[in-house]
Amino acid sequence: MIGVGVRLGAGPWSVGDGIGTSSGVGTGSGAGNEAVLASLTATPTTRWHPEFSTITEAGGRVTHAADLMGLADVNEGAAGIGPKVMTDARGRKFWRFEGAEYLDVAAGLVSDSRDISVFVVGRVPRILPQATRFLSLGSRNQGTQRNTLNGPLEARLYANSMGHLQSFSKLAYTAPTGGEHMVPGAQLQVMGAATSANGTRLILNDQGADVGTPFNATGIIGGEIGRYAWSTGNSGTWAQFDLYEMVVFSPGLDPVTAAQVSQDLMAAHGVVPVVNQLILEGDSITQGVFDVTPALSSGAVLTEPGMGRIAQDWRVINKASSGNRVSHLVTKREANNGWATQVLAGGRNVMAFEIGRNDWGSETVASHYANVVAYLTAPVAGVLPRGWDVRVMINIATGSSLMPQTLAYRDMLRNPQFLVDCSAGPGQPYDGMLRVIATDLIEDQGQTVFQSTTDAQDPTYYANDGTHPTILGTQLRMTGGETPEHGVAWGL
């Protein structure tokens, strides 16, 4: 279901301090609004929970948080770079990492790379090439950093792959089966890894995949949440994710017990199994929100817990990237282990995209249209021949210099010939698999917000560049606002 006419108030996606609650449609949680501390099948070694850990804050950021097991508290990595303390629309606290924050795990945690299990309940707005480091072993602050060939639980994409879970560099797509389920999305989920001398079990909700045995490192002291202690990289390139809970077992768990722990956490956090998936493609207009935070994306806004903008059994993957043109979308479509190859059997596989803003400088409207048709219909490699349902988003308004091309392209997408050219007209091979979404006709407060150059100058819905939507604008593109039939999520 989607929210109809819901505006972002002073909630966690709004401009300002970002702390507080917002109102929406439904709770989006099978466990209700009140946070629940899961009773786990096995006893953790360390456990941090934004709702139940005793937390010290400064400026809305974590400076210290107690380990619920009393062994290894966490502290901000340095002054002012602890994660943000936030509250979702259900009233549940979480910590937001935006690429420049990390927490240092105290020396009480001692672990071996081949005997550790880590679980994270959280959301990943976009999986980045530099990896989303949920936890690494060792601590620079304590002088105990060790080269463990990456951390025990991360998400990473290589060479335009979909972006999968990995543990100590053992990536999910190397698994003989189940790798397509090991893709973290913007929705709330349980992610885990259980290592042993015999291999690694990666876990996402109720699914699992087996990968190789990690590098052997023993007696590692401490850890870091949000970056790789051995080779940190620059601030701004660290992890981007929302953390609702992290649990560590050292020694680790066997695969059966690890699967049950994931189920325990799912129940407590109101997480349901993933059945369907939505891929969001395009350029920076879809990539994220530019006026507040890098940790937000169109997918993150659509799946905000408690807002009920999309059913909980959808995973939403944001693959759009700044500067993209059709040629970039083709590269990602054809990548080994790319999103187009990661089909969920038995569910709906939907891709929605808007493209054109960066193509106008070198393409005519006619050539751009032809490129889009080829992207969708190329024999074997095309999105439609691969079996995906497609939603083509009509381009939203931009500055006056590019509106003539935008208007002409809109007309071509609306023309029934577009479906025919894509072999998706009545009786054609892809009939019913291609839909044009009139995002340019979305209304809020009784007026269009994306239709004209005048709309593009409204700071309520656009950043001050006349191109990128604000958080509210992003929400409206996804839900359709007062005209839900024009939103990406309509009918999902």
Side-chain angles (χ1 to χ4, degrees):
M1 62 180 176
I2 59 174
V4 179
V6 179
R7 294 176 58 79
L8 259 62
W13 307 119
S14 61
V15 178
D17 63 11
I19 302 173
T21 61
S22 59
S23 60
V25 179
T27 66
S29 170
N33 286 339
E34 184 177 352
V36 176
L37 185 65
S39 177
L40 301 179
T41 301
T43 301
T45 304
T46 58
R47 186 177 190 179
W48 308 283
H49 195 304
E51 194 74 50
F52 295 101
S53 292
T54 300
I55 299 171
T56 304
E57 300 178 33
R61 294 181 178 272
V62 177
T63 61
H64 176 88
D67 172 14
L68 292 176
M69 309 309 296
L71 179 68
D73 292 357
V74 293
N75 296 285
E76 61 181 348
I81 65 169
K84 292 181 179 178
V85 179
M86 304 187 74
T87 306
D88 69 18
R90 305 174 303 176
R92 299 188 188 184
K93 291 181 180 178
F94 64 93
W95 298 336
R96 173 160 290 169
F97 294 79
E98 297 181 301
E101 300 85 4
Y102 79 98
L103 291 171
D104 190 65
V105 181
L109 176 64
V110 181
S111 57
D112 299 344
S113 63
R114 290 185 176 179
D115 197 10
I116 186 171
S117 298
V118 180
F119 295 86
V120 166
V121 183
R123 308 173 65 210
V124 184
R126 294 180 67 239
I127 301 175
L128 303 171
Q130 63 264 28
T132 301
R133 317 280 194 177
F134 300 117
L135 176 70
S136 65
L137 304 184
S139 163
R140 283 191 171 263
N141 285 355
Q142 300 168 53
T144 64
Q145 70 269 27
R146 295 273 297 278
N147 184 2
T148 58
L149 300 184
N150 295 303
L153 185 60
E154 302 177 339
R156 188 165 195 168
L157 62 85
Y158 288 95
N160 289 307
S161 67
M162 174 73 142
H164 295 74
L165 288 180
Q166 74 171 11
S167 177
F168 298 116
S169 298
K170 305 302 181 183
L171 202 64
Y173 67 59
T174 65
T177 61
E180 71 276 12
H181 297 287
M182 301 297 106
V183 179
Q187 78 288 343
L188 190 65
Q189 66 233 297
V190 179
M191 300 164 283
T195 72
S196 74
N198 298 316
T200 301
R201 182 72 168 176
L202 296 172
I203 296 169
L204 203 154
N205 293 344
D206 60 333
Q207 299 289 330
D210 293 318
V211 294
T213 302
F215 172 77
N216 190 24
T218 61
I220 310 166
I221 297 172
E224 292 185 0
I225 299 173
R227 72 175 195 177
Y228 183 33
W230 171 252
S231 179
T232 63
N234 296 324
S235 174
T237 67
W238 302 336
Q240 297 180 16
F241 70 106
D242 290 345
L243 177 63
Y244 281 73
E245 183 171 0
M246 181 177 288
V247 186
V248 179
F249 298 84
S250 179
L253 307 175
D254 63 82
V256 173
T257 306
Q260 185 56 58
V261 168
S262 184
Q263 296 273 3
D264 296 339
L265 292 169
M266 288 174 67
H269 288 272
V271 174
V272 304
V274 167
V275 176
N276 312 294
Q277 65 176 324
L278 171 65
I279 307 296
L280 298 172
E281 258 286 28
D283 54 29
S284 55
I285 293 170
T286 302
Q287 173 185 319
V289 177
F290 281 74
D291 60 344
V292 179
T293 167
L296 290 179
S297 68
S298 295
V301 171
L302 180 58
T303 58
E304 182 186 354
M307 297 304 290
R309 295 177 180 136
I310 191 170
Q312 288 178 268
D313 62 359
W314 284 82
R315 78 178 181 195
V316 179
I317 311 295
N318 219 102
K319 297 300 292 182
S321 187
S322 180
N324 271 190
R325 300 167 55 189
V326 176
S327 59
H328 298 98
L329 272 58
V330 170
T331 297
K332 287 184 280 182
R333 182 199 66 190
E334 297 180 359
N336 291 333
N337 305 296
W339 69 262
T341 69
Q342 304 298 292
V343 175
L344 294 180
R348 296 177 63 189
N349 296 278
V350 181
M351 189 274 282
F353 74 103
E354 175 183 332
I355 199 70
R357 173 64 175 77
N358 299 305
D359 295 84
W360 300 141
S362 57
E363 300 284 348
T364 66
V365 174
S367 64
H368 174 66
Y369 173 86
N371 291 340
V372 169
V373 170
Y375 169 67
L376 296 176
T377 65
V380 182
V383 179
L384 290 167
R386 290 174 183 261
W388 287 77
D389 288 340
V390 177
R391 298 183 169 208
V392 182
M393 302 160 65
I394 291 183
N395 297 47
I396 63 174
T398 187
S400 57
S401 64
L402 297 178
M403 274 306 289
Q405 296 96 315
T406 300
L407 292 171
Y409 180 55
R410 285 178 180 176
D411 289 342
M412 297 181 81
L413 292 180
R414 283 194 165 91
N415 192 313
Q417 186 63 39
F418 175 58
L419 294 183
V420 174
D421 290 342
C422 292
S423 298
Q428 292 185 294
Y430 309 123
D431 186 4
M433 295 174 61
L434 178 61
R435 179 176 174 182
V436 177
I437 305 294
T439 43
D440 61 324
L441 299 182
I442 289 171
E443 294 185 7
D444 185 49
Q445 300 191 75
Q447 62 183 13
T448 61
V449 296
F450 299 125
Q451 189 172 28
S452 67
T453 297
T454 300
D455 290 336
Q457 306 309 310
D458 188 336
T460 302
Y461 307 103
Y462 278 83
N464 60 9
D465 57 8
T467 297
H468 299 101
T470 60
I471 293 177
L472 176 57
T474 298
Q475 175 203 324
L476 294 173
R477 287 178 73 239
M478 295 295 105
T479 67
E482 294 169 358
T483 49
E485 68 276 12
H486 299 324
V488 171
W490 177 251
L492 295 180

